[in-house]
Amino acid sequence: NLPFKSVIHAIGPQYDDGNQQERPLLFLCIMASLQLADKEGYRAIAVPAISSKTYGFPLADCTSIIVRAIKQFFA
């Protein structure tokens, strides 16, 4: 019963120690979601803090990666 047309379910990386390519993997996860939304013709998208709670990604790092991916996508 969500008030949305659809949901893109993205699973981000598990955060271990920050040295296991977690940041690039999260970046790619966000970019893939944005590319799919673009391909489907979506005019709006909400991007949650993927991996920040369940997978232990530090919220500040997660936020900056998401913002950087969005900026790069629309550049």
Side-chain angles (χ1 to χ4, degrees):
N1 295 326
L2 293 173
F4 310 109
K5 180 179 176 182
S6 62
V7 173
I8 297 172
H9 186 84
I11 299 180
Q14 174 79 35
Y15 188 88
D16 288 323
D17 58 8
N19 296 317
Q20 306 302 314
Q21 298 298 313
E22 297 99 322
R23 289 172 182 84
L25 289 172
L26 180 58
F27 183 86
L28 291 174
C29 175
I30 300 300
M31 289 297 282
S33 296
L34 293 170
Q35 290 166 349
L36 179 57
D38 185 50
K39 179 182 171 189
E40 294 295 323
Y42 297 161
R43 296 180 51 161
I45 182 173
V47 180
I50 296 171
S51 289
S52 68
K53 180 80 172 170
T54 304
Y55 293 134
F57 220 102
L59 185 57
D61 286 349
C62 181
T63 303
S64 67
I65 291 167
I66 291 170
V67 169
R68 186 169 45 94
I70 291 170
K71 284 181 178 181
Q72 183 172 323
F73 182 80
F74 286 103

